[in-house]
């Protein structure tokens, strides 16, 4: 459809999230956690409506999505014991029928899994990262890497710290010390026992191994992106993988700020001018296929010779990026409007 010749056409999008039948029945733009986004989309002339998804009424959701121009998706990779296999198949189907999907499942597989840390290890945000395709490979290679210092093991798909571990060699002991990112205390295991714990991660994916960043206790910086432009920042001190009780006591909620925050302008320039173009080139992602909202989490790396911080990528989040800075919905809406104008 040519919107220049059909000025009366109003673009429509669905904002999809997971919920039960009651949530689907009662969902409105006003009671949604995405209320600000609904308002921002309306401000640029886009009619948005909620779409609540569950596998038990997937066909109803499919019909709803086929009736809109586009869909914005917020569903975690793993939630309440369920994955996205059924939803991703549905999204691929509606995309093949002409509905614009952000983020498309194929784009998530390229940039929204932990494997991106390995594939982009040569970039300025990279580190000495390796990829294990099998538990046997992990058992064979991990001891050599632990000899050089603590490592962080991450399952390829997960959220909320699930399947993320700090692992370190204990001096004068055959045991290793492991700390689950979702727990407060570490434990000592044999390497074989730890590998057995991770065995399930290889059933439908790989495992990434990164060096532990000693400055983790200083905080994690999140850069929110709307397509290829920065939409804001989040910063917080974390408990996950931090051993020191004193450092853990300083952990707090993520504090949000706009893309104009003067503290983070160097990171903004890196993300917009260098790293995002390099990412799309390395992963063969068209610029217009970038998700309209995604984020990159950075740990502080070694201080550079000029006294500025370096940044080490910890993960990219694509599947369900929320909450986000108050300024982000307007950036998202602009990107959505642009994508729909180009599509229709």
């Amino acid at each position: 459809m040519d919107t220049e010749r059909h000025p009366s056409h109003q673009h429509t999008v669905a904002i999809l999230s997971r919920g039960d039948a009651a949530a689907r029945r009662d969902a409105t733009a006003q009671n949604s956690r995405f209320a600000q986004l609904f308002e921002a989309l309306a401000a640029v002339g886009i009619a948005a409506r909620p779409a609540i998804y569950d596998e038990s009424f997937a066909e109803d959701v499919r019909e709803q999505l086929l009736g809109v121009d586009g869909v914005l998706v917020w569903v975690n990779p793993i939630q309440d014991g369920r994955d996205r296999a059924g939803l991703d198949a549905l999204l691929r189907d509606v995309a093949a029928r002409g509905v614009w999907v952000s983020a498309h499942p194929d784009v998530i597989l390229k940039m929204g899994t932990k494997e991106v840390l390995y594939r982009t290890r040569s970039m300025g945000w990279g580190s000495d990262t390796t990829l294990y395709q099998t538990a046997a490979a992990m058992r064979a290679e991990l001891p050599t890497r632990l000899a050089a210092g603590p490592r962080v093991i991450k399952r390829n798909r997960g959220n909320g710290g699930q399947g993320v571990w700090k692992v370190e060699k204990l001096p004068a002991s055959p045991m290793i010390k492991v700390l689950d990112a979702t727990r407060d205390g570490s434990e000592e295991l044999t390497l074989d026992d730890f590998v057995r714990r991770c065995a399930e991660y290889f059933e439908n994916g790989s495992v990434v191994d990164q060096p532990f960043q000693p400055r983790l206790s200083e905080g994690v910086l999140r850069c929110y992106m709307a397509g290829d432009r920065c939409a804001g920042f989040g910063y917080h001190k974390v408990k996950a993988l931090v051993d020191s009780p004193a450092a853990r006591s300083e952990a707090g909620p993520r504090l949000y700020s706009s893309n104009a925050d003067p503290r983070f302008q160097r990171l903004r320039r890196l993300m917009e001018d260098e790293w995002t173009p390099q990412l799309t080139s390395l992963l063969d992602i068209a610029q217009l296929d970038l998700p309209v909202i995604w984020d990159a989490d950075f740990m502080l790396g070694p201080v550079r010779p000029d006294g500025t911080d370096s940044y080490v990528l910890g993960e990219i989040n694509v599947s369900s990026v929320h909450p986000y800075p108050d300024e982000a919905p307007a950036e998202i809406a602009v990107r959505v409007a642009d994508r729909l104008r180009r599509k229709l």
Side-chain angles (χ1 to χ4, degrees):
M1 178 181 297
D2 185 334
T3 54
E4 295 299 320
R5 291 196 299 268
H6 298 272
S8 62
H9 176 78
Q10 182 180 31
H11 295 138
T12 57
V13 300
I15 297 179
L16 186 149
S17 57
R18 184 179 279 283
D20 58 18
R24 181 172 173 80
R25 182 187 64 243
D26 299 335
T28 67
Q30 291 71 35
N31 66 19
S32 169
R33 62 190 174 120
F34 305 107
Q36 286 183 299
L37 182 55
F38 278 101
E39 293 173 3
L41 290 167
V44 296
I46 297 174
R49 58 199 65 165
I52 304 301
Y53 170 83
D54 185 80
E55 288 80 359
S56 63
F57 45 79
E59 290 309 308
D60 292 337
V61 178
R62 184 194 309 272
E63 290 305 311
Q64 180 182 2
L65 299 187
L66 290 174
V68 297
D69 299 316
V71 53
L72 309 179
V73 184
W74 275 268
V75 176
N76 285 320
I78 301 172
Q79 184 174 326
D80 301 326
R82 292 170 292 182
D83 61 25
R84 285 183 44 139
L87 174 60
D88 286 347
L90 185 156
L91 293 173
R92 287 188 176 96
D93 176 55
V94 299
R97 301 192 195 190
V99 178
W100 171 70
V101 175
S102 184
H104 192 287
D106 294 345
V107 174
I108 294 176
L109 288 177
K110 288 183 177 183
M111 63 181 288
T113 69
K114 302 301 189 299
E115 191 170 327
V116 73
L117 302 173
Y118 176 74
R119 298 187 64 188
T120 64
R121 67 194 184 282
S122 63
M123 287 174 48
W125 66 28
S127 59
D128 173 29
T129 304
T130 194
L131 183 73
Y132 303 128
Q133 299 284 8
T134 65
M138 179 172 160
R139 176 64 181 86
E141 299 174 31
L142 184 54
T144 300
R145 297 183 178 279
L146 287 175
R151 308 291 295 185
V152 177
I153 300 298
K154 302 178 178 180
R155 70 182 298 172
N156 194 35
R157 298 202 74 171
N159 52 277
Q162 299 176 80
V164 178
W165 304 79
K166 178 185 178 185
V167 184
E168 54 191 312
K169 186 179 184 298
L170 291 171
S173 171
M175 308 289 279
I176 60 172
K177 180 180 176 182
V178 302
L179 176 58
D180 182 338
T182 65
R183 298 186 179 180
D184 293 336
S186 58
E187 56 184 314
E188 296 181 8
L189 298 173
T190 67
L191 180 61
D192 287 336
D193 282 342
F194 176 65
V195 172
R196 276 193 285 270
R197 285 196 184 182
C198 298
E200 66 176 288
Y201 304 161
F202 295 98
E203 292 174 2
N204 57 2
S206 55
V207 166
V208 168
D209 175 352
Q210 281 187 300
F212 176 76
Q213 298 301 317
R215 298 181 67 190
L216 177 64
S217 61
E218 296 181 42
V220 172
L221 178 57
R222 174 169 288 184
C223 182
Y224 292 89
M225 300 293 291
D228 61 355
R229 299 290 96 184
C230 176
F233 297 97
Y235 172 79
H236 74 307
K237 291 194 173 184
V238 297
K239 287 185 178 181
L241 303 187
V242 174
D243 285 301
S244 163
R248 290 175 61 84
S249 70
E250 296 178 354
R254 184 176 288 115
L255 303 176
Y256 300 95
S257 59
S258 77
N259 59 10
D261 191 321
R263 297 173 296 170
F264 309 132
Q265 290 309 295
R266 178 169 167 269
L267 178 58
R268 178 181 179 178
R269 290 193 300 271
L270 286 168
M271 282 296 291
E272 291 185 345
D273 300 340
E274 297 182 30
W275 289 345
T276 300
Q278 291 172 12
L279 173 74
T280 55
S281 177
L282 273 172
L283 304 185
D284 191 26
I285 299 173
Q287 181 180 345
L288 290 177
D289 288 338
L290 277 170
V292 293
I293 185 67
W294 57 284
D295 70 58
D297 280 349
F298 292 98
M299 301 162 286
L300 296 176
V303 176
R304 291 153 36 98
D306 64 1
T308 59
D309 289 319
S310 62
Y311 302 103
V312 178
L313 182 68
E315 67 177 342
I316 290 177
N317 300 294
V318 179
S319 300
S320 187
V321 179
H322 188 271
Y324 33 62
D326 288 341
E327 296 82 0
E331 296 280 350
I332 296 169
V334 168
R335 300 296 159 184
V336 172
D338 178 65
R339 302 290 176 88
L340 292 177
R341 280 195 300 267
R342 291 169 180 264
K343 171 186 175 292
L344 298 175

